[in-house]
Amino acid sequence: MTSLKLVLRFAIVGGLILLLLVPLMLIRGTIHDRERYRDEAMQRVAQSRAGAQTLIGPVRIVPWTEQRQVEVVDARGAHKNEIQIGKGFELQLPQRLRVGGQMRPDERRVGLFRVPVYSWHAQLQAEFADEPYRPVEGRTYGQPYLALGIADVRGLVGTPNLRVDGQAMRMQPGAGALDAASRGLHARLQPLADTRQGVIVTGRKVELEFVLDGTRSLSVVPVGDDTRVAISSPWPHPLFGGSFLPNRRTVDDGGFKAEWAVSSLASAAQAQLRQALVAPAEIEALQVALVDPVDVYTQADRASKYGILFVLLTFVGLVLLELIKRLRIHPLQYLLVGLALAIFFLLLLSLSEHIAFWQAYLVSAAACIGLQAFYLSGVLHSGRRAAAFATLLTALYGVLYGLLVSENNALLMGSLLLFGILAAIMWVTRKVDWYDVGSSLR
């Protein structure tokens, strides 16, 4: 009977721990809802201003029209010749492509949410070889043009400054054949001297300056045989992604500078671009994003994952006090203590949307520890026991904060924490006569 009483006591505490999973899961659901609202705020900014930007080009495009005589069979089964007209284009990519400029960051607010945006003051230089357009029977080549792909042309500020072979030219809406892969702009080059065959000698050197607004990220497709990209910004928290990382970069409190050098020998971007003009295809690109250095929702979500551990360790401490010190703690009192632990994560979430995360953590932890100390002083019939328990809770909250700010060492610190707690429990209970403890239960 005494053993059954002890087992029943542990079963009740275990049931309460499982019951407290419900509010903890509801709090995690609230965190995910707030993350979704933040993502919706980013989409609203992108819809009203300009979204994430991707730059393709500039490239040279030579359209052509081709007449072919084919033999067809009519409805009566008779054979006859018919002339069919086909259309296409030749894509010529730059030998050297230089892309530079500064991303000037800003923020847009949608309710409580801050969305990073930027204005990219870009300079482009492209050099093309004198590429021939081959003779094909029945084919006539049209007027060549330069095309520049921009993911969201609404982000263009003012008129781009384009110079082709040293002469100023005006860009027009639409990217021509490049529209299949991206929206953008184009500029017509000089008509061909011979529409059947020849070499394109215009548009050898292209210089372009423009200002492009975007939201959060900027991508550049390395379409040149030799592509060099240099981007700087006063934003101190960049995230480099895409298919290529910078060859050189510096990041400090004053911002970042990054440089890429991509050869067509190491990139499939040229082939992918040609494929994308025929059928939808992914194209390799280098990317830099302006990210929030402290994502409060990610940290709050990570903290909430330790909620059940907080409840478990607190309940273990209360059970040990109850059994060793012969105290009587009602299941309802366990439940109230557990709810006070759970409410910490909700306070942390709500406060971190208004103040710095570390400040929100400090205020939430202090409020919950103070509440626990006040309540447990009555439950444990001793202010000293309540103060000792509050000290242990303070250490536990401190360790959790260390886990949150040290993401790379979180697993190591968590493992050491669990080992240390288990060792402490075994050390405290090493001389406890559990049969005697069980016989004292009422």
Side-chain angles (χ1 to χ4, degrees):
M1 286 296 295
T2 58
S3 297
L4 288 177
K5 290 180 181 180
L6 188 60
V7 171
L8 180 61
R9 182 60 56 88
F10 284 121
I12 292 174
V13 174
L16 291 174
I17 292 174
L18 294 177
L19 181 62
L20 286 170
L21 283 174
V22 176
L24 288 173
M25 293 302 296
L26 291 175
I27 292 172
R28 290 202 67 192
T30 301
I31 295 173
H32 294 158
D33 287 341
R34 303 301 289 181
E35 284 183 308
R36 188 174 68 253
Y37 296 152
R38 184 216 30 213
D39 294 339
E40 290 175 356
M42 289 185 179
Q43 294 177 0
R44 288 175 59 184
V45 171
Q47 290 171 358
S48 61
R49 188 175 187 267
Q53 295 288 11
T54 299
L55 177 73
I56 303 177
V59 298
R60 287 195 312 197
I61 296 176
V62 188
W64 52 257
T65 302
E66 189 172 296
Q67 292 184 354
R68 297 177 182 175
Q69 188 174 5
V70 297
E71 185 178 357
V72 297
V73 180
D74 61 16
R76 297 180 181 180
H79 293 263
K80 64 177 183 179
N81 292 328
E82 183 178 283
I83 295 178
Q84 294 182 351
I85 299 177
K87 293 184 178 181
F89 58 88
E90 286 195 3
L91 178 65
Q92 298 184 349
L93 303 172
Q95 277 189 325
R96 296 180 180 85
L97 177 62
R98 302 292 182 264
V99 181
Q102 184 183 55
M103 296 175 67
R104 300 180 183 177
D106 198 357
E107 287 184 340
R108 294 291 183 270
R109 281 189 172 271
V110 179
L112 293 173
F113 306 104
R114 297 180 299 173
V115 180
V117 297
Y118 62 84
S119 290
W120 183 36
H121 293 247
Q123 302 93 35
L124 275 68
Q125 292 182 350
E127 297 180 10
F128 293 85
D130 296 341
E131 297 189 29
Y133 49 100
R134 66 189 187 280
V136 177
E137 184 178 355
R139 177 177 295 185
T140 301
Y141 290 93
Q143 185 175 1
Y145 58 90
L146 283 171
L148 180 71
I150 297 176
D152 194 340
V153 292
R154 296 176 306 158
L156 280 173
V157 180
T159 303
N161 181 15
L162 172 65
R163 293 181 299 277
V164 178
D165 298 331
Q167 296 183 352
M169 297 188 66
R170 185 176 181 84
M171 303 202 77
Q172 301 176 19
L178 202 58
D179 278 333
S182 173
R183 300 176 63 187
L185 308 171
H186 76 279
R188 294 191 177 276
L189 301 174
Q190 293 180 8
L192 301 175
D194 186 346
T195 60
R196 298 293 180 177
Q197 64 177 327
V199 177
I200 300 179
V201 295
T202 60
R204 292 173 175 172
K205 185 174 182 180
V206 178
E207 298 173 287
L208 181 62
E209 298 175 355
F210 60 90
V211 178
L212 184 65
D213 287 347
T215 300
R216 193 177 172 92
S217 69
L218 170 67
S219 301
V220 177
V221 177
V223 296
D225 294 338
D226 178 26
T227 302
R228 304 292 177 95
V229 180
I231 298 176
S232 62
S233 174
W235 187 271
H237 306 287
L239 176 63
F240 300 105
S243 302
F244 309 94
L245 292 177
N247 300 94
R248 290 188 295 178
R249 63 181 177 181
T250 57
V251 181
D252 53 34
D253 293 338
F256 72 88
K257 294 180 180 179
E259 296 180 4
W260 292 260
V262 183
S263 169
S264 59
L265 299 176
S267 169
Q270 291 185 342
Q272 291 168 347
L273 177 59
R274 296 182 188 276
Q275 177 62 29
L277 300 184
V278 179
E282 294 290 332
I283 307 177
E284 292 180 341
L286 55 91
Q287 184 186 78
V288 58
L290 309 182
V291 298
D292 188 348
V294 181
D295 188 343
V296 297
Y297 301 108
T298 300
Q299 290 190 311
D301 184 57
R302 288 182 59 208
S304 66
K305 294 177 181 179
Y306 295 95
I308 189 63
L309 179 62
F310 269 53
V311 173
L312 177 63
L313 294 178
T314 303
F315 279 18
V316 166
L318 291 176
V319 167
L320 291 178
L321 282 174
E322 182 180 4
L323 297 178
I324 296 175
K325 298 297 183 182
R326 305 298 195 268
L327 299 174
R328 298 181 62 186
I329 303 178
H330 195 273
L332 181 59
Q333 292 172 317
Y334 276 99
L335 183 61
L336 291 175
V337 170
L339 290 174
L341 292 171
I343 204 69
F344 161 77
F345 302 102
L346 188 60
L347 283 175
L348 176 62
L349 171 65
S350 57
L351 288 174
S352 62
E353 291 184 334
H354 299 273
I355 59 178
F357 183 82
W358 70 270
Q359 294 174 338
Y361 192 96
L362 180 62
V363 172
S364 302
C368 290
I369 292 171
L371 177 62
Q372 298 278 29
F374 172 76
Y375 183 69
L376 290 176
S377 63
V379 173
L380 302 178
H381 308 293
S382 170
R384 292 181 59 186
R385 292 173 182 169
F389 212 87
T391 302
L392 294 177
L393 281 178
T394 301
L396 192 59
Y397 279 110
V399 171
L400 175 60
Y401 187 76
L403 291 174
L404 296 179
V405 298
S406 181
E407 184 175 356
N408 294 334
N409 299 318
L411 178 60
L412 175 61
M413 295 176 63
S415 302
L416 294 176
L417 171 65
L418 292 177
F419 179 81
I421 291 174
L422 178 61
I425 293 174
M426 295 176 69
W427 181 77
V428 170
T429 61
R430 68 190 188 281
K431 296 183 179 180
V432 173
D433 185 348
W434 292 106
Y435 291 102
D436 180 61
V437 170
S439 64
S440 65
L441 293 176
R442 288 177 286 179

